[in-house]
Amino acid sequence: MPELSPLMKQGTIVKWHVRKGDSVEANTLMFDVETKTLTEREDHAFVLEVESQEDGFVAAVFVPEGGEVAVGAPIAIVCDNKEDLSYFFDHVAPAQVDADKAYNDRTFLWQAYVKSHKGLDM
């Protein structure tokens, strides 16, 4: 799960816009995620659109729509070559992810756009 703000510790996958086997390019809309920790006020919930940061093929999706996941935990695999898809189709994410370790081990940047919000006048 990408960290979309310094306060974000977890998010809920609202909708996947790609499926296993799909081709993606950088900036392809991948999924929508809801978080209440984008700002310091927890009464605000935001839905953000998250884009792919690279070209490739969606080899696995680990978190279903409605699934809640810690920042840093694996949510999907994008591989470089279509020929490599079969190596990942049966791959499963770890059953237990230590939320603090996942958060501390995060090493990626994502770009996201606010899609909707609850409790905040913009």
Side-chain angles (χ1 to χ4, degrees):
M1 172 62 73
E3 177 184 32
L4 303 174
S5 86
L7 301 172
M8 185 175 171
K9 299 286 186 187
Q10 66 184 22
T12 301
I13 302 292
V14 175
K15 178 177 177 63
W16 280 101
H17 296 278
V18 297
R19 298 193 190 288
K20 190 176 358 179
D22 285 356
S23 171
V24 296
E25 297 177 355
N27 302 321
T28 297
L29 179 59
M30 296 279 292
F31 60 93
D32 297 340
V33 62
E34 181 179 68
T35 181
K36 293 182 180 179
T37 54
L38 194 61
T39 66
E40 293 179 0
R41 293 190 50 189
E42 292 190 16
D43 58 335
H44 296 168
F46 290 85
V47 175
L48 301 140
E49 296 178 329
V50 181
E51 299 177 343
S52 174
Q53 298 301 297
E54 57 192 44
D55 298 346
F57 298 87
V58 179
V61 173
F62 300 135
V63 181
E65 291 180 358
E68 199 170 279
V69 63
V71 165
I75 56 171
I77 294 176
V78 175
C79 64
D80 293 332
N81 303 306
K82 189 173 187 174
E83 298 79 29
D84 295 336
L85 285 173
S86 63
Y87 295 120
F88 297 100
F89 274 166
D90 294 327
H91 191 82
V92 294
Q96 292 285 47
V97 174
D98 181 312
D100 289 330
K101 182 174 181 349
Y103 180 78
N104 291 330
D105 289 348
R106 68 202 187 286
T107 57
F108 44 77
L109 295 173
W110 288 76
Q111 185 171 9
Y113 302 95
V114 175
K115 182 174 182 175
S116 65
H117 62 277
K118 300 174 190 166
L120 180 66
D121 293 326
M122 294 181 87

